[in-house]
Amino acid sequence: MPDGKGARVVHEPARLRQVWLSADGTGDSLFNDRPTSGRQEGGSTREPGCRHGRKVTSDHMFKPPATVACTPVGAYLTDAPTDATAMLRYLRKRIAGLYGPGVPAVTNPATLDYLDYLTFSDATYLLTEEYLPVKARVAVFAALAKLPGSTMHATADVNGRPAVVVGRASGEAVGNRSEMIFDRKTSAFLGTRYIVRGPFTRDGGHFYQRLTQPSLDGRPPPVFIAVDPGDAETVLLRTAIVDRAGQLP
């Protein structure tokens, strides 16, 4: 592949994503996604809840739909800690649960740094795809500030709200950075920003980056990953509790 000398940034129309999640895992979840302008298509997906140990599979290969065994997993995380140190342990424990019991025993510095990046990324998921009590959400901000490799600076989000950014190198490729944006006064979560800066490798009209993260399972990672140069920013508009999927507060 020839090396690219630069990248043309293309600004795509903003999209609105709405997510309804079951507090205890027994109700259905609903995911809506649509563009705010232009002619791009949107979509809606409903995920059945787990009731009485069974749920309707969302795999469209089953006609008629089949049921599978399940355990309800609620999105309202009432067990989340409310102080920074305990929250950092909580986040790292979640990563250990995802990658197996060998993760806490890792001693390679590069791999440890990548695990911290995964912890940072999981915190993003925690604040956007699950529901935390207010004090626990504030504790996530404080925990990320304590995470090795994180930096902080004052800014404003895309809506002009005074904010503080907690960010770190993405852990995937040189030049990339993941950031989480919090309200400067209340520490409320406002959104995310992912920055892709290169260097790039260009093949025709596509841009690629060489991956740098170490392997967690003994297998080498792919050499290149396709990227869109530029910044991708999300803004959290509202979080609320309602009675059913699809209902607006």
Side-chain angles (χ1 to χ4, degrees):
M1 297 180 182
D3 288 337
K5 299 299 183 182
R8 179 173 62 90
V9 178
V10 177
H11 297 282
E12 297 184 351
R15 301 186 69 86
L16 176 66
R17 187 165 188 261
Q18 297 170 299
V19 178
W20 287 267
L21 302 168
S22 172
D24 64 0
T26 62
D28 293 353
S29 297
L30 179 64
F31 306 87
N32 290 341
D33 181 272
R34 62 178 176 83
T36 57
S37 62
R39 298 182 179 179
Q40 293 180 332
E41 294 185 0
S44 180
T45 302
R46 183 175 289 270
E47 181 71 24
C50 177
R51 304 179 184 91
H52 310 296
R54 307 290 296 181
K55 68 179 293 185
V56 178
T57 179
S58 57
D59 191 332
H60 299 293
M61 293 179 61
F62 291 94
K63 295 181 180 181
T67 62
V68 295
C70 62
T71 299
V73 178
Y76 192 178
L77 305 181
T78 57
D79 63 335
T82 57
D83 72 89
T85 301
M87 177 57 76
L88 188 53
R89 287 197 301 266
Y90 178 82
L91 293 172
R92 284 176 164 156
K93 184 178 180 180
R94 282 169 58 96
I95 292 299
L98 290 173
Y99 289 92
V103 168
V106 170
T107 57
N108 181 282
T111 304
L112 284 172
D113 182 69
Y114 184 57
L115 289 175
D116 282 341
Y117 163 68
L118 294 177
T119 300
F120 189 93
S121 298
D122 186 57
T124 305
Y125 180 86
L126 201 65
L127 292 171
T128 56
E129 301 292 329
E130 297 184 273
Y131 190 90
L132 292 174
V134 174
K135 290 183 179 180
R137 278 180 266 164
V138 173
V140 171
F141 166 69
L144 294 179
K146 293 169 67 70
L147 194 66
S150 295
T151 61
M152 298 175 58
H153 67 270
T155 186
D157 74 353
V158 293
N159 287 338
R161 296 175 291 186
V164 173
V165 165
V166 181
R168 62 178 290 117
S170 75
E172 292 180 334
V174 175
N176 295 359
R177 180 176 173 82
S178 295
E179 297 182 338
M180 297 179 68
I181 305 169
F182 297 85
D183 185 275
R184 200 178 300 174
K185 290 184 178 180
T186 66
S187 298
F189 178 64
L190 301 181
T192 66
R193 183 185 295 129
Y194 190 75
I195 301 170
V196 179
R197 286 292 184 266
F200 304 104
T201 295
R202 186 170 183 173
D203 182 19
H206 302 283
F207 292 91
Y208 298 85
Q209 284 183 302
R210 185 182 296 274
L211 294 182
T212 58
Q213 85 268 25
S215 174
L216 298 180
D217 56 10
R219 296 178 298 175
V223 176
F224 287 94
I225 184 173
V227 296
D228 293 319
D231 299 353
E233 187 161 349
T234 65
V235 177
L236 182 64
L237 299 178
R238 181 185 294 183
T239 301
I241 296 177
V242 294
D243 292 328
R244 64 185 184 279
Q247 179 183 354
L248 295 176

